[in-house]
């Protein structure tokens, strides 16, 4: 009888040990995403462990627009840094476009948001960030003329977007007046 209980106890212990082994569990981590798209320097397309797509806007920074100087370089830097890799998000705020606004951190601990500023591919977005660490990283990039700081006077993307929205007025050309069309009254035909 003792041998029967000992065998049962041994099997139970082995099952418990096998169940506790992290290599045996293949359940995906709910907080880990895979970078499947780099839309521009500061916007990523992620895929969750349950195959849901999430668009993430990198928090506290602003990269040049794609059509702006260093916009394509910022996108390439972001892509080289994190495309195809697993990341975690810090923050879960949503902007007016429905994007998640967060800091993106690679599994090796690299903060993508901070790396962009440190290497001169983004500004600290001071309207949304009070981080002294980001301010210091931006200042170092400016002093070392990294990335967009190679330009004498780079245009911040928020100014670039504002200028793009405003209609251009050229002092040499006067705007053409709008044409007004009037409906013609139908001619009445009289039978005689």
């Amino acid at each position: 009888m003792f041998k029967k209980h000992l065998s049962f106890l041994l099997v139970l212990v082995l099952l418990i040990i096998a169940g506790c082994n992290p290599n045996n569990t293949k359940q995906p981590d709910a907080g880990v995403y895979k970078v499947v798209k780099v839309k521009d320097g500061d916007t990523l397309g992620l895929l969750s462990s349950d195959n849901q797509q999430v668009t993430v806007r990198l928090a506290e920074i602003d990269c040049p627009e794609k059509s702006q100087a260093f916009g394509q370089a910022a996108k390439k830097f972001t892509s080289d840094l994190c495309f195809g890799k697993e990341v975690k998000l810090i923050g879960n705020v949503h902007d007016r476009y429905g994007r998640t606004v967060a800091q993106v951190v690679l599994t090796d601990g690299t903060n993508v948001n901070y790396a962009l500023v440190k290497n001169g591919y983004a500004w600290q977005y001071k309207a949304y960030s009070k981080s002294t660490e980001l301010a210091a990283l931006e200042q170092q990039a400016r002093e070392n003329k990294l990335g967009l700081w190679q330009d004498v006077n780079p245009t911040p993307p928020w100014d670039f977007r504002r200028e793009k929205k405003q209609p251009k007025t050229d002092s040499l050309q006067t705007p053409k007046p709008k044409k007004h069309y009037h409906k013609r009254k139908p001619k009445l035909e009289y039978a005689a």
Side-chain angles (χ1 to χ4, degrees):
M1 179 90 170
F2 179 71
K3 285 185 178 183
K4 190 176 186 181
H5 288 296
L6 184 61
S7 298
F8 176 73
L9 194 58
L10 183 60
V11 169
L12 185 62
V13 168
L14 288 173
L15 286 173
I16 291 172
I17 290 172
C20 292
N21 185 352
N23 294 331
N24 280 349
T25 58
K26 290 293 182 184
Q27 293 181 352
D29 187 350
V32 175
Y33 298 85
K34 184 171 183 175
V35 179
V36 294
K37 186 171 188 176
V38 177
K39 295 182 179 187
D40 58 30
D42 53 26
T43 308
L44 303 174
L46 306 181
L47 194 61
S48 69
S49 58
D50 59 350
N51 290 326
Q52 298 296 314
Q53 289 193 359
V54 180
T55 300
V56 176
R57 169 70 166 80
L58 301 182
E60 301 185 72
I61 68 165
D62 204 1
C63 288
E65 296 296 317
K66 285 190 275 188
S67 60
Q68 194 177 355
F70 289 92
Q72 292 297 328
K75 179 180 178 181
K76 183 179 179 343
F77 180 86
T78 303
S79 183
D80 290 347
L81 185 61
C82 64
F83 182 76
K85 296 182 181 173
E86 290 186 339
V87 296
K88 288 191 175 202
L89 303 181
I90 300 173
N92 192 19
V93 179
H94 291 85
D95 67 7
R96 65 180 178 224
Y97 305 109
R99 302 176 298 189
T100 299
V101 179
Q103 289 188 26
V104 176
V105 180
L106 297 172
T107 54
D108 70 1
T110 302
N111 185 313
V112 175
N113 307 45
Y114 284 37
L116 280 157
V117 174
K118 179 181 180 179
N119 290 282
Y121 293 107
W123 278 261
Q124 175 188 20
Y125 207 164
K126 292 181 180 151
Y128 300 100
S129 172
K130 304 298 179 221
S131 170
T132 55
E133 187 178 354
L134 268 177
L137 290 172
E138 182 179 311
Q139 188 57 40
Q140 286 176 338
R142 283 176 187 252
E143 290 170 1
N144 294 322
K145 298 192 183 304
L146 299 176
L148 61 91
W149 303 113
Q150 295 172 36
D151 282 355
V152 176
N153 192 17
T155 303
W158 51 88
D159 289 345
F160 182 81
R161 289 187 293 267
R162 187 175 33 237
E163 289 171 9
K164 201 171 177 182
K165 283 184 182 179
Q166 294 175 350
K168 293 180 182 177
T169 55
D170 189 359
S171 60
L172 299 176
Q173 294 180 347
T174 56
K176 293 181 182 179
K178 289 184 178 179
K179 292 183 179 181
H180 297 282
Y181 295 97
H182 299 283
K183 266 188 167 177
R184 290 186 175 168
K185 293 181 181 176
K187 291 183 181 180
L188 297 175
E189 294 184 24
Y190 295 101

